Amino acid sequence: MKKLLLFFLLTGCSNPSADPQPDPNDGTSSNPSTPGSPSTGSANLGNGQPGVVGLSGIDAWDRLAASEKQRIKRWNTLFLHQSVGQDLEEGAKANGVTFEYFGASDLVDQGTEGKGLRGGIFVDVGNIPNGNPYDKIRVFKEAALRSKATLKIAVFKFGYADVLDNNRDQVKTAYKTFVDELRQQIPGLQFVHITPPLVYSTTAEEGNAAKANVGQWMKDTFKSTDVIFDLQAIETNDGTCQQANVPRICPDNRASPSDPSEVNGVDSDGQGHLGQKAGQRISKALLLSIYNAGR
């Protein structure tokens, strides 16, 4: 790996806990660095900066010094997801940050073969399809515990078919138990929670209201201790896209004929994939969320 450039000025980022308010440590010459975050691009993890990362996280990632962006590539991170997660992975890759493939029996830290960001889809890791949130939780926990000696950051993402009106409260309970147990079994583990992705249709059967309810619960429950990547806020352009007070993914963010998903093609109204261009833009906020978890 090429040696990282040393930077004496650290570009700051928006404060995710008060998104979209600017970070008082904005990287200006009068305030060149963020406390606790090395300006040398160190690969070491800090204590993290809890809070919510939304739309302003996109520009905040762009404003980070290149040396700071490089840091996350050496942090042992597990990101498990399904199809919208693939859109985010492809977007991150287009931004110069690759999640190495994580399979059914893999470890996060590959030792001499590499360490850092690992991404996998639940259907590969545990043969778990969309619409089965409890088995996704189980499979993530099993994968995390296989790597408990080296795992530093956990990034779990529900699919858009996992949270509906008939299970939203049960999902909350199962997810909270999962987080509490992993936190106990892997001391020091940092979390990035992702609000469940939305679809375009706002019918009750598609469950956008339930997904929004669980997303708000995530923010209320974890924002003081962990990082929340508010995918819903970004998908809806901060709530501007809705129908009958039910949020939906905005047309400019969804996989469409003018901007199809690189992996998943063009959406129907009951789907919520990201277009290729949208995924590249939105993935920057995910990368900032991982950065904040380990900064």
Side-chain angles (χ1 to χ4, degrees), residues 78-82 102 119-122 125 139-140 143 155-157:
L78 179 61
F79 175 34
L80 295 188
H81 52 79
Q82 208 71 292
F102 187 90
I121 57 176
F122 283 109
V125 179
V139 165
F140 192 105
V155 187
F156 179 102
K157 187 190 147 301

Side-chain angles (χ1 to χ4, degrees), residues 245-262:
N245 295 319
V246 177
R248 70 196 319 179
I249 185 171
C250 290
D252 57 323
N253 290 325
R254 68 187 296 224
S256 64
S258 61
D259 185 21
S261 163
E262 187 172 351

